[in-house]
Amino acid sequence: MVADPRVKDVGETRTEFLFDIVVDLDPPLDFGRGPSGRRMLFGSAGGRFEGPELRGDVLRGGGDWALFRSGGTMALDVRLALRTDDGALIHMTYGGRFTTPPELGAEMADPAGRHRVDPSRYYFRTNPLFETGAERYAWLNDIVCVGSGYFVECGIAYKVAQVA
């Protein structure tokens, strides 16, 4: 294969840990199957986030307007409001994908037990972005992140890293 001379070596993509976040969830609302798939709302009932540069609470009222596609993958569409321990408000949005292998279907369908399933057995990835007017956290407005998700009792959690 002939290399294209326009292609530049930009080095490896690196990430740096930003924070861990746990989002407690309200009971889901099922909108049923529409033209694009089955739509459900997993509303935020609160939670907490913590990392070296910021920590605080996940506020009620946000959530994931998830779409279950015909192939078994769930497309995420999330908006959350975060309040740092020093009072700043941060708007967090992310899309992503959650894919469960067919053999895990019954285990993952059980809300009381799915947190016991090893996250290495499914694919749950997100791409968080942030918006804030708080000067101290303005750097968040200009970064891209990736998140690895997993289930916890009564909710979900993510390990979020900044793409360096």
Side-chain angles (χ1 to χ4, degrees):
M1 179 183 247
V2 177
D4 187 321
R6 296 172 293 178
V7 175
K8 304 227 186 277
D9 180 5
V10 295
E12 292 295 315
T13 300
R14 296 176 299 126
T15 60
E16 298 172 7
F17 173 70
L18 185 62
F19 59 70
D20 287 309
I21 185 169
V22 174
V23 181
D24 300 321
L25 296 175
D26 287 326
L29 299 176
D30 189 342
F31 293 86
R33 185 163 302 282
S36 300
R38 181 176 167 203
R39 178 76 63 185
M40 293 186 73
L41 170 58
F42 298 93
S44 168
R48 185 89 182 139
F49 65 97
E50 188 160 337
E53 302 292 325
L54 66 164
R55 64 194 48 77
D57 296 314
V58 178
L59 303 180
R60 291 186 66 87
D64 182 359
W65 282 259
L67 181 66
F68 289 84
R69 302 186 322 197
S70 61
T73 294
M74 181 175 75
L76 287 72
D77 180 7
V78 179
R79 291 177 180 267
L80 295 173
L82 311 179
R83 185 186 319 270
T84 63
D85 283 350
D86 59 358
L89 288 173
I90 299 169
H91 179 227
M92 178 179 179
T93 63
Y94 56 91
R97 299 293 183 263
F98 170 61
T99 303
T100 304
E103 65 272 14
L104 287 180
E107 287 179 86
M108 296 307 287
D110 174 16
R114 66 178 158 223
H115 66 278
R116 293 185 193 97
V117 177
D118 182 343
S120 68
R121 297 178 64 200
Y122 53 82
Y123 185 83
F124 194 176
R125 301 293 184 267
T126 65
N127 59 331
L129 297 171
F130 304 94
E131 183 181 329
T132 185
E135 205 171 300
R136 177 172 181 195
Y137 300 105
W139 56 275
L140 287 168
N141 295 324
D142 299 320
I143 66 171
V144 172
C145 294
V146 292
S148 294
Y150 56 97
F151 290 89
V152 295
E153 234 177 311
C154 301
I156 54 170
Y158 300 94
K159 185 165 287 301
V160 177
Q162 175 182 344
V163 178

